[in-house]
Amino acid sequence: MTWSATARGAHQPDNTAFTQQRLPAWQPLLSASIALPLFFCAGLAFIGLGLGLFYSSNGIKELEYDYTGNPGTGNCSACALADQDRAPPLRCSCSWYFSLPELFPGPVYLYYELTNFYQNNRRYSVSRDDTQLSGLPSALRHPANECAPYQRRASGLPIAPCGAIANSLFNDSFSLWHQRQPGGPYVEVPLDRTGIAWWTDCHVKFRNPPLVNGSLALAFRGTAPPPNWPRPVYALSPDPNNTGFINQDFVVWMRTAALPTFRKLYARIRQGNYSTGLPRGAYLVNITYNYPVRAFGGHKLIVFSNISWMGGKNPFLGIAYLVVGSLCILMGFVMLVVYIRYQDQNDEDEDEE
Amino acid sequence: MLSVFCSGEVVCEPPNNKLDRFSGTLYWKESKFPLSNQNMLLRGCVLRNTEWCFGLVVFAGPDTKLMQNSGRTKFKRTSIDRLMNTLVLWIFGFLVCMGVILAIGNAIWEHEVGMRFQAYLPWDEAVDSAFFSGFLSFWSYIIILNTVVPISLYVSVEVIRLGHSYFINWDKKMFCMKKRTPAEARTTTLNEELGQVEYVFSDKTGTLTQNIMVFNKCSISGRSYGDVLDVLGHKAELGQKPEPVDFSFNPLADNKFLFWDPTLLEAVKMGDPHTHEFFRLLSLCHTVMSEEKNEGELYYKAQSPDEGALVTAARNFGFVFRSRTPKTITVHEMGTAVTYQLLAILDFNNIRKRMSVIVRNPEGRIRLYCKGADTILLDRLHPCTQELLSTTTDHLNEYAGEGLRTLVLAYKDLDEEYYGEWAQRRLRASLARDSREDRLASVYEEVESNMVLLGATAIEDKLQQGVPETIALLTLANIKIWVLTGDKQETAVNIGYSCKMLTDDMTEVFVVTGHTVLEVREELRKAREKMLDSPHAVGNGFTCSEKRSAKLTSVLEAVAGEYALVINGHSLAHALEADMELEFLETACACKAVICCRVTPLQKAQVVELVKKHKKAVTLAIGDGANDVSMIKTAHIGVGISGQEGIQAVLASDYSFSQFKFLQRLLLVHGRWSYLRMCKFLCYFFYKNFAFTMVHFWFGFFCGFSAQTVYDQYFITLYNIVYTSLPVLAMGVFDQDVPEQRSMEYPKLYEPGQLNLLFNKREFFICIAQGIYTSVLMFFIPYGVFAEATRDDGTQLADYQSFAVTVATSLVIVVSVQIGLDTGYWTAINHFFIWGSLAIYFAILFAMHSNGLFDMFPNQFRFVGNAQNTLAQPTVWLTITLTTVVCIMPVVAFRFLKLSLKPDLSDTVRYTQLVRKKQKAQHRCLRRVGRTSSRRSGYAFSHQEGFGELIMSGKNMRLSSLALASFTTRSSSSWIESLRRKKSDSAGSPSGGADKPLKG
């Protein structure tokens, strides 16, 4: 019977700032002296940044050519027609002629662009085995199940590299030729096919399996290339530092795009006479047309572009900054007007009091 | 021992909840005995002045009348809880809709594009058609988008409520020093509803009052005593009381009795005959029983505390009521024992409102002493005392103005013959077979006339500390207070006045006392008509009536002027019937104050239920006794007053503390904060989940509806648990908009909770809209930037992983800035959590994308190297900045404009506080009502007639002590103790008197 409140609460609650909810605190209030300068400063900063972005984006040159070869669009149509309903396609070549009236300032980057290509499809983007690609010998011959149906060949041989991403490796190739004088011979412009992937990708994420007897081919023995590939992975490039899983074309392709239209770096033009850019003159791009895209309504483009401090041409960012900056300023004025009027009203109210 | 009774049989009514009625028949030894309520003891009764008695248990356990009165325990949930459940259901529906849309999208996409894309991405073996693919995609999306359904919400809400409950438990300002009881939140689920209370139902005794009567002042033959005077003879202020009067001259004095005016004692010592007669009356005219265990140790057993107070006062002033027999009363008058012969007790009842005794003093003179309500008694005085009458009336008015209960005392000398004749008539009347009551009343009436006025007493029914202030504050906070009490009407009305619920400023106080359905209906109708008829210019105006128009159920709520309703238990029974309850509710709700008196525990619950059902308002019931349990259980929130007596109310309650005045702090501070915090928390929580999840939806349109997530799987896992949970929890636990003193100073700050303004369906949709808006920007701005962008080294920027990191980073930053905006009270903990969350996000990001983890589990940590590569890009940071600004600026602008154009009261209070640190007195809303009160008499014997009959019959004197049963469940511990003692006593005692039925 003695169970009562007294027995329970015999001791007084602690008198601390925490228990009494008196913790010292900063109580910001969205007053005019904070909000208005915030808006004006943000607006000004954004407009400044936007102008910078806009002009640097505008200063970037871009040259692109759709070589998909839809009927009546240049001389790749023949290849396009040829590739219908065939996989893997036969080798077919076509070219793109263009001329530069003035220097295309360097460094110039050569991209290929694919549209309507869903590298971001979930089933597509999981269809890879990063353990295999990291060069683990055990994983090499036991590709992950995610790779299905490109996990093993019909013969039972494991596929290396496995998966839909690897299987669909972009295999068109380009060479650039420059005619210095009209009527003169075309000279091949050296394309630097290295340094087009992230360092971490080439050195950490992608690694070749350990060499067997000094040979990469032996290391890949017992595996089969993906069905679409005409040659095995260790023969992607003659350069031993750029073949196998660490082939940079391959690495670039394996870094899947976020959006169905994407651009991937093909080569950098920075050697010899072309380190400052592409001089004016006539150019020819020789395209080895292997990669079928018309079946699903895709397009293939070649893009020449140079870059600025903020990367490639990107009009969106500059315009967005300008718009947002102006809106901030506009909003700032609206708020200022409201504030002044409200202030008057408030003073009147106080007078009435 | 009871075996002799074995042949007996009781036939009685079935178990019911009527406390005042019982009918049954006892068959024993071939004879019948009628059993009525007089023979019943209710569960929880205490036998006083009785060593033992025999009884028969008629109903036990749940069949007892008291248990029948207690309501069923229901699981209590807050309205926000219910709303939350609805919203979660809606969100679930929304999720399914999104799933369906995306599934249809997937089917179309697979049919149009995916089918032809099979050269690169063949369908899974099991998928044979676009339709089936869509079906699978539906389930995939349900899984991916399930984060809109806030699973962790429930856990977080409980954590926050737990925190709030601890704050209530820890509150020093709700700790009662005297009883050393802290406030206690006994449930942790109702906190935010404390911020929404509209109706408070309060018990009276033990809750509003201390149930202690104190003899405070008196007026004796035109002179008023009892004012506390300082040295100069002016009325002293509180807090500088002089020494109380010293009663040491009187060995029989009760030293707990305090009186402050020494002049009264001087008058007694001087032998002033009026004063002596005054106290003689007090010591004779009552029905108190005395008990003297040891010489000089007197204990008075009074049926009502008023009587006890009066007799105790007389005792201390030297007129000690010592003992009584059926025919005599012994009084020690200034040290000498005088025995009066008790000739008659003209007992109190509700209609007479007075009681008298007729005594013969040792000299043989017969005198009638009468005390009673002033309204009644002043008409029955001898006309020769006009002057004295007017002075006394002034005094009475003055006492009433201070909220004291007054009684008028008078006497009349009777000569022997007259008395003899009158006694005969009385005997005849009492033997009359029909209308005995009426006849007796007229006989009494006859003798109680032409009396000589002696004076008046003023008794203070001691309120709990701070009750009037609390009620005033709660009223200003728009909380309606209804007093539901078992006490009789006069007592309840008196308390209503003294705690400022009723004031004389009120236009009218309606009293409903009808005994039949028709009478009650008529009275209610009249009340309504009066309220509607009154000129609308009266009163302080219903300024907020337009705002609340949505809540008006009838024009009656907009009635001008202040009204109050007092309704009696028997009328209430009719008013609560199905066809009249709405009428009653309408009338009652139009009144500022409602007092229901003489209500049974079940009726209390019914009243609460009625308001709960029809007003859609949050109700709070507060009480201390077992009779409040059902009301406490029924109301949305039950508050038990602890530490008084008994624990039933506390055990049934949701919150308990020991003083009524803590209610204001519980509601206006804790409740208000809880509500505010909970609403802010919920808004933010829904917002952040929608902003987070809806990005997947937009991405679906660009990834072939393939259920690809935008973020890294680890980010999805950690977002709700690690990156965003703690800042919002800290806000939910610690946030304050205005300091606690301000919530007391501006009770109107409480209103948003009552009107449910801070979180309702509309607010929910605003949050959702903001979340969706954020998600749109969160996806489309990076989309716009990334579409054709390249990094500053020429390589591709728009790879999936960089996109994921960019969106995730901007999301974390945006929601962190948003919580920063929402947090109104940045304690160190808030700082720590908000900055910590951001820091931990980047720390985890870099750790997850580190080479080491990749080397160990290449397939689990595919994002290797991503953080350093992506976050090194100026474009990415420009994107994040842009996204943040676009998401946040509109919110800032909106809040600023709202602050400027339509500020809430809390905003204004904060602003005022910021601008002028010093507080302005004129802003205080607390009105101090200078009250001019009419006179109210409080002949406040409680529930029943006094013991007059009992005393005169002498039945109670048969055993050495008195067998009185009174219905006091309050003293639960003691009654069980005494019951146990009785049991053991009776078990041990020899048989005898076993057949004697208990009377009384």
Side-chain angles (χ1 to χ4, degrees):
Chain A
M1 294 327 296
T2 53
W3 189 82
S4 69
T6 329
R8 266 176 297 146
H11 62 85
Q12 203 177 340
D14 297 334
N15 187 14
T16 62
F18 179 74
T19 56
Q20 302 308 312
Q21 306 196 61
R22 279 188 276 105
L23 285 177
W26 173 52
Q27 286 179 276
L29 188 67
L30 203 56
S31 61
S33 56
I34 297 172
L36 293 178
L38 180 74
F39 269 76
F40 286 115
C41 291
L44 289 177
F46 266 58
I47 288 178
L49 261 175
L51 285 175
L53 286 168
F54 187 72
Y55 282 110
S56 51
S57 174
N58 270 5
I60 293 170
K61 278 195 144 181
E62 252 186 28
L63 191 64
E64 57 176 47
Y65 174 67
D66 184 343
Y67 73 98
T68 319
N70 288 327
T73 57
N75 59 9
C76 287
S77 333
C79 291
L81 277 179
D83 84 4
Q84 219 120 49
D85 310 324
R86 273 180 302 118
L90 285 181
R91 280 172 176 276
C92 172
S93 287
C94 57
S95 5
W96 167 39
Y97 296 91
F98 66 97
S99 64
L100 295 171
E102 52 181 19
L103 176 77
F104 195 106
V108 182
Y109 294 81
L110 174 57
Y111 300 90
Y112 60 90
E113 182 174 324
L114 293 177
T115 66
N116 209 21
F117 194 100
Y118 284 82
Q119 265 204 320
N120 60 2
N121 191 298
R122 184 182 56 81
R123 284 185 295 120
Y124 184 86
S125 56
V126 299
S127 183
R128 64 191 289 161
D129 183 356
D130 282 303
T131 316
Q132 190 190 45
L133 296 172
S134 70
L136 220 66
S138 57
L140 184 66
R141 286 173 186 80
H142 300 97
N145 291 333
E146 283 86 5
C147 289
Y150 303 108
Q151 189 183 13
R152 286 170 189 279
R153 299 295 282 268
S155 59
L157 281 182
I159 295 175
C162 73
I165 311 178
N167 183 49
S168 59
L169 175 68
F170 183 77
N171 56 1
D172 284 1
S173 58
F174 314 103
S175 57
L176 179 62
W177 302 79
H178 180 209
Q179 190 184 34
R180 286 183 188 166
Q181 280 92 37
Y186 280 96
V187 182
E188 185 163 8
V189 178
L191 298 179
D192 183 0
R193 303 293 313 281
T194 59
I196 55 175
W198 293 3
W199 187 92
T200 46
D201 281 1
C202 300
H203 294 87
V204 180
K205 196 171 182 184
F206 293 85
R207 276 183 225 150
N208 277 327
L211 302 182
V212 175
N213 299 332
S215 157
L216 189 60
L218 286 177
F220 278 102
R221 202 168 60 179
T223 65
N228 277 5
W229 287 24
R231 52 194 168 176
V233 64
Y234 50 82
L236 280 176
S237 160
D239 177 2
N241 290 327
N242 191 23
T243 192
F245 290 151
I246 55 168
N247 175 272
Q248 297 218 345
D249 274 341
F250 175 68
V251 171
V252 166
W253 181 256
M254 292 303 285
R255 180 156 282 280
T256 55
L259 300 165
T261 296
F262 58 88
R263 224 174 243 208
K264 284 181 187 290
L265 186 57
Y266 183 78
R268 298 185 292 172
I269 302 165
R270 53 171 200 170
Q271 284 158 335
N273 300 330
Y274 302 97
S275 55
T276 53
L278 295 175
R280 68 193 183 92
Y283 287 85
L284 153 68
V285 179
N286 246 330
I287 301 160
T288 316
Y289 193 114
N290 295 325
Y291 203 70
V293 292
R294 293 185 59 221
F296 55 88
H299 285 266
K300 304 193 285 190
L301 292 88
I302 309 175
V303 182
F304 288 99
S305 170
N306 51 18
I307 56 169
S308 70
W309 61 275
M310 43 147 305
K313 198 174 183 69
N314 199 342
F316 177 86
L317 207 51
I319 293 171
Y321 264 80
L322 286 174
V323 170
V324 172
S326 329
L327 282 179
C328 278
I329 300 258
L330 188 74
M331 204 61 227
F333 275 113
V334 171
M335 286 159 64
L336 187 66
V337 170
V338 167
Y339 173 67
I340 291 168
R341 292 200 54 169
Y342 154 79
Q343 207 50 359
D344 290 348
Q345 215 174 9
N346 215 28
D347 290 344
E348 279 167 29
D349 286 353
E350 266 167 34
D351 292 344
E352 278 166 27
E353 277 176 26
Chain B
M1 182 172 76
L2 284 171
S3 56
V4 277
F5 189 67
C6 276
S7 55
E9 194 183 351
V10 171
V11 177
C12 67
E13 62 185 15
N16 59 47
N17 57 32
K18 296 195 174 73
L19 293 179
D20 54 347
R21 209 167 296 164
F22 180 77
S23 67
T25 318
L26 170 68
Y27 297 91
W28 187 58
K29 289 186 176 171
E30 287 114 38
S31 51
K32 287 202 279 182
F33 301 93
L35 298 178
S36 72
N37 207 36
Q38 292 288 309
N39 308 86
M40 286 297 285
L41 290 186
L42 292 170
R43 179 195 154 131
C45 288
V46 184
L47 288 182
R48 288 202 179 139
N49 303 35
T50 303
E51 297 302 322
W52 52 269
C53 76
F54 287 106
L56 178 69
V57 175
V58 181
F59 299 128
D63 289 341
T64 54
K65 283 179 183 276
L66 210 62
M67 291 303 278
Q68 295 271 315
N69 258 299
S70 64
R72 282 220 326 277
T73 308
K74 279 172 241 161
F75 180 61
K76 288 185 184 178
R77 287 154 92 191
T78 63
S79 56
I80 285 201
D81 250 342
R82 286 188 293 273
L83 178 61
M84 219 160 74
N85 287 345
T86 321
L87 296 181
V88 166
L89 274 182
W90 285 4
I91 292 177
F92 197 80
F94 181 72
L95 168 68
V96 172
C97 288
M98 284 199 295
V100 168
I101 292 171
L102 291 165
I104 292 172
N106 181 270
I108 294 170
W109 186 87
E110 289 289 355
H111 185 258
E112 298 290 321
V113 183
M115 184 116 75
R116 291 183 284 150
F117 195 57
Q118 291 207 51
Y120 296 126
L121 181 61
W123 285 353
D124 287 336
E125 276 167 47
V127 178
D128 50 359
S129 69
F131 177 79
F132 187 61
S133 167
F135 174 75
L136 290 182
S137 148
F138 171 79
W139 295 109
S140 306
Y141 269 114
I142 292 292
I143 294 169
I144 288 176
L145 299 175
N146 81 67
T147 43
V148 277
V149 182
I151 309 290
S152 57
L153 179 70
Y154 287 94
V155 181
S156 312
V157 163
E158 289 310 317
V159 169
I160 288 177
R161 285 174 176 163
L162 186 70
H164 295 172
S165 305
Y166 271 110
F167 281 135
I168 291 173
N169 293 351
W170 284 337
D171 195 338
K172 247 176 96 75
K173 289 180 186 155
M174 283 163 67
F175 178 79
C176 179
M177 283 308 270
K178 213 162 71 196
K179 297 186 187 110
R180 304 201 65 77
T181 356
E184 196 185 354
R186 300 176 47 87
T187 50
T188 58
T189 52
L190 299 173
N191 290 324
E192 74 268 7
E193 205 148 65
L194 288 174
Q196 297 183 280
V197 173
E198 272 188 73
Y199 289 89
V200 168
F201 299 92
S202 173
D203 177 36
K204 186 192 77 71
T205 318
T207 306
L208 297 178
T209 63
Q210 299 177 345
N211 205 19
I212 297 173
M213 302 293 166
V214 176
F215 179 80
N216 198 295
K217 288 182 183 174
C218 61
S219 160
I220 302 174
S221 66
R223 176 151 183 219
S224 174
Y225 299 95
D227 279 326
V228 183
L229 302 175
D230 63 13
V231 201
L232 296 170
H234 299 300
K235 283 193 183 179
E237 290 300 311
L238 258 122
Q240 38 172 300
K241 279 188 175 177
E243 283 292 299
V245 175
D246 179 21
F247 290 110
S248 54
F249 79 96
N250 180 0
L252 290 169
D254 181 354
N255 43 26
K256 271 177 274 177
F257 179 85
L258 297 176
F259 200 75
W260 309 97
D261 188 353
T263 52
L264 182 58
L265 186 60
E266 280 161 25
V268 172
K269 283 183 174 167
M270 300 275 285
D272 174 41
H274 290 292
T275 316
H276 278 210
E277 198 60 22
F278 180 87
F279 284 115
R280 189 170 292 127
L281 189 155
L282 290 185
S283 63
L284 289 173
C285 179
H286 55 77
T287 56
V288 172
M289 300 293 161
S290 76
E291 194 179 352
E292 197 166 359
K293 285 216 171 122
N294 300 313
E295 179 68 25
E297 264 183 61
L298 275 174
Y299 294 97
Y300 289 147
K301 305 281 176 186
Q303 195 205 14
S304 81
D306 317 42
E307 282 215 306
L310 291 175
V311 179
T312 307
R315 167 182 173 183
N316 274 41
F317 282 102
F319 288 77
V320 188
F321 162 64
R322 202 76 191 265
S323 63
R324 81 186 324 152
T325 66
K327 297 291 173 203
T328 61
I329 298 176
T330 308
V331 178
H332 267 237
E333 285 180 8
M334 302 306 288
T336 53
V338 183
T339 302
Y340 292 88
Q341 198 184 342
L342 180 59
L343 298 176
I345 293 183
L346 284 55
D347 205 356
F348 170 84
N349 72 27
N350 251 334
I351 302 147
R352 283 163 40 77
K353 292 188 172 141
R354 61 188 183 271
M355 81 164 280
S356 308
V357 289
I358 300 174
V359 292
R360 194 200 300 274
N361 67 5
E363 289 95 60
R365 269 213 328 273
I366 299 176
R367 188 167 267 191
L368 175 137
Y369 289 109
C370 180
K371 66 178 178 187
D374 44 16
T375 43
I376 307 283
L377 217 62
L378 293 181
D379 299 338
R380 287 173 175 73
L381 295 179
H382 199 268
C384 68
T385 56
Q386 269 315 325
E387 199 179 328
L388 176 60
L389 184 72
S390 67
T391 348
T392 309
T393 310
D394 290 345
H395 289 157
L396 283 170
N397 286 339
E398 190 188 312
Y399 298 156
E402 290 162 37
L404 303 173
R405 305 169 173 217
T406 52
L407 280 182
V408 172
L409 313 184
Y411 72 92
K412 180 184 178 183
D413 284 320
L414 303 175
D415 52 43
E416 196 74 41
E417 287 166 43
Y418 177 77
Y419 172 71
E421 185 209 341
W422 180 81
Q424 287 296 320
R425 269 185 283 144
R426 176 170 177 248
L427 188 64
R428 274 204 300 281
S430 65
L431 290 175
R433 203 165 285 174
D434 50 325
S435 60
R436 194 170 69 111
E437 298 284 312
D438 293 343
R439 285 177 189 222
L440 268 179
S442 64
V443 173
Y444 289 172
E445 181 91 32
E446 184 197 322
V447 73
E448 289 165 334
S449 60
N450 287 333
M451 293 180 285
V452 181
L453 181 63
L454 257 179
T457 61
I459 291 176
E460 185 183 359
D461 185 357
K462 274 213 148 167
L463 290 178
Q464 299 262 6
Q465 249 181 325
V467 165
E469 292 83 355
T470 305
I471 287 182
L473 199 66
L474 294 182
T475 311
L476 285 175
N478 235 343
I479 297 172
K480 296 202 175 71
I481 298 167
W482 294 25
V483 172
L484 309 179
T485 175
D487 283 359
K488 65 190 202 71
Q489 187 184 323
E490 288 81 0
T491 320
V493 169
N494 242 314
I495 289 303
Y497 276 102
S498 58
C499 60
K500 309 266 195 299
M501 276 182 68
L502 308 176
T503 59
D504 283 346
D505 301 344
M506 287 188 151
T507 321
E508 189 164 350
V509 177
F510 304 112
V511 179
V512 179
T513 50
H515 279 269
T516 64
V517 181
L518 284 177
E519 276 171 36
V520 175
R521 195 188 290 275
E522 183 63 18
E523 277 172 299
L524 287 176
R525 195 182 55 74
K526 271 187 190 152
R528 280 201 305 279
E529 272 172 8
K530 270 196 185 144
M531 282 193 268
L532 283 177
D533 287 347
S534 70
H536 281 237
V538 193
N540 49 4
F542 254 69
T543 43
C544 54
S545 59
E546 305 95 57
K547 243 193 297 177
R548 313 192 59 181
S549 57
K551 296 194 85 183
L552 292 185
T553 51
S554 79
V555 283
L556 272 174
E557 281 209 6
V559 145
E562 295 182 346
Y563 296 90
L565 181 75
V566 178
I567 186 164
N568 239 316
H570 44 84
S571 313
L572 193 62
H574 298 301
L576 286 176
E577 273 161 25
D579 55 335
M580 217 197 293
E581 59 177 24
L582 276 177
E583 265 178 72
F584 166 61
L585 188 68
E586 230 178 61
T587 320
C589 289
C591 294
K592 257 195 91 199
V594 178
I595 296 176
C596 304
C597 23
R598 313 208 70 157
V599 292
T600 63
L602 194 66
Q603 277 180 330
K604 289 186 179 187
Q606 281 170 342
V607 172
V608 175
E609 185 65 44
L610 181 69
V611 173
K612 212 171 133 182
K613 197 165 77 190
H614 293 290
K615 298 302 285 185
K616 302 260 179 295
V618 178
T619 54
L620 181 144
I622 180 166
D624 73 322
N627 52 345
D628 305 317
V629 167
S630 57
M631 150 172 109
I632 283 174
K633 281 184 184 165
T634 310
H636 288 103
I637 303 164
V639 178
I641 301 282
S642 63
Q644 293 286 103
E645 306 160 70
I647 49 170
Q648 285 105 322
V650 172
L651 288 182
S653 67
D654 306 308
Y655 298 90
S656 69
F657 41 72
S658 54
Q659 295 264 319
F660 180 79
K661 66 172 178 184
F662 294 149
L663 187 64
Q664 57 179 326
R665 195 168 163 80
L666 185 71
L667 296 185
L668 298 188
V669 176
H670 287 286
R672 196 176 156 276
W673 275 346
S674 267
Y675 176 70
L676 176 92
R677 291 164 180 171
M678 190 55 73
C679 293
K680 275 182 146 187
F681 168 82
L682 289 176
C683 282
Y684 178 78
F685 208 94
F686 287 119
Y687 156 79
K688 91 177 160 79
N689 274 24
F690 266 77
F692 169 63
T693 311
M694 287 301 287
V695 180
H696 296 309
F697 181 78
W698 310 120
F699 189 52
F701 289 85
F702 296 88
C703 69
F705 305 95
S706 59
Q708 174 70 308
T709 57
V710 181
Y711 320 103
D712 183 5
Q713 50 168 328
Y714 295 105
F715 180 78
I716 293 176
T717 318
L718 297 176
Y719 175 78
N720 259 330
I721 309 169
V722 179
Y723 301 148
T724 58
S725 63
L726 291 178
V728 69
L729 269 184
M731 181 185 74
V733 175
F734 300 110
D735 207 49
Q736 307 179 0
D737 57 343
V738 296
E740 56 188 37
Q741 308 88 317
R742 299 287 170 276
S743 357
M744 302 282 214
E745 276 166 30
Y746 301 87
K748 284 279 168 216
L749 284 172
Y750 193 74
E751 231 172 49
Q754 295 169 326
L755 303 179
N756 210 1
L757 290 181
L758 298 183
F759 190 77
N760 46 36
K761 284 176 183 149
R762 186 168 159 270
E763 289 298 317
F764 169 74
F765 283 118
I766 292 174
C767 301
I768 297 301
Q770 196 197 346
I772 292 176
Y773 165 80
T774 307
S775 74
V776 167
L777 297 170
M778 203 64 74
F779 177 74
F780 284 97
I781 289 180
Y783 172 81
V785 176
F786 275 49
E788 293 190 319
T790 54
R791 292 155 57 90
D792 58 2
D793 58 358
T795 56
Q796 176 199 12
L797 176 65
D799 66 282
Y800 166 72
Q801 295 186 342
S802 301
F803 189 79
V805 170
T806 310
V807 176
T809 309
S810 28
L811 178 71
V812 169
I813 291 178
V814 167
V815 295
S816 296
V817 174
Q818 180 67 40
I819 191 73
L821 278 180
D822 285 348
T823 304
Y825 193 76
W826 286 70
T827 62
I829 298 166
N830 292 79
H831 276 289
F832 178 72
F833 281 163
I834 292 176
W835 302 117
S837 288
L838 275 175
I840 207 92
Y841 167 72
F842 285 105
I844 290 181
L845 182 75
F846 279 93
M848 293 277 189
H849 297 184
S850 69
N851 299 352
L853 278 177
F854 176 81
D855 284 341
M856 280 185 275
F857 310 101
N859 266 345
Q860 311 307 321
F861 298 95
R862 291 181 164 166
F863 278 61
V864 58
N866 216 279
Q868 65 259 42
N869 277 305
T870 308
L871 295 181
Q873 291 299 310
T875 319
V876 170
W877 283 107
L878 287 171
T879 314
I880 293 172
T881 317
L882 182 68
T883 317
T884 312
V885 167
V886 176
C887 289
I888 295 301
M889 279 312 197
V891 181
V892 176
F894 177 78
R895 296 211 175 154
F896 178 81
L897 290 179
K898 190 170 162 290
L899 206 64
S900 303
L901 296 173
K902 221 183 101 192
D904 289 338
L905 181 59
S906 67
D907 297 331
T908 322
V909 170
R910 286 178 73 179
Y911 187 76
T912 324
Q913 202 183 351
L914 193 81
V915 176
R916 315 163 218 173
K917 288 278 180 190
K918 59 176 177 16
Q919 73 189 50
K920 282 176 91 179
Q922 72 187 57
H923 272 259
R924 294 197 165 203
C925 300
L926 243 178
R927 284 180 307 166
R928 304 272 171 211
V929 193
R931 207 160 58 83
T932 55
S933 277
S934 62
R935 177 151 38 92
R936 285 173 311 282
S937 174
Y939 199 145
F941 289 71
S942 20
H943 309 217
Q944 312 136 12
E945 292 193 11
F947 302 133
E949 193 187 348
L950 197 66
I951 292 169
M952 294 303 285
S953 70
K955 271 176 195 156
N956 57 327
M957 311 284 178
R958 203 164 294 165
L959 303 167
S960 64
S961 54
L962 209 55
L964 292 182
S966 68
F967 174 61
T968 47
T969 42
R970 295 179 200 295
S971 51
S972 67
S973 57
S974 61
W975 77 258
I976 293 181
E977 279 288 315
S978 61
L979 200 69
R980 195 180 284 158
R981 205 171 52 232
K982 298 279 141 54
K983 225 183 245 170
S984 59
D985 282 354
S986 59
S989 71
S991 69
D995 54 345
K996 190 170 285 167
L998 176 78
K999 289 270 188 176

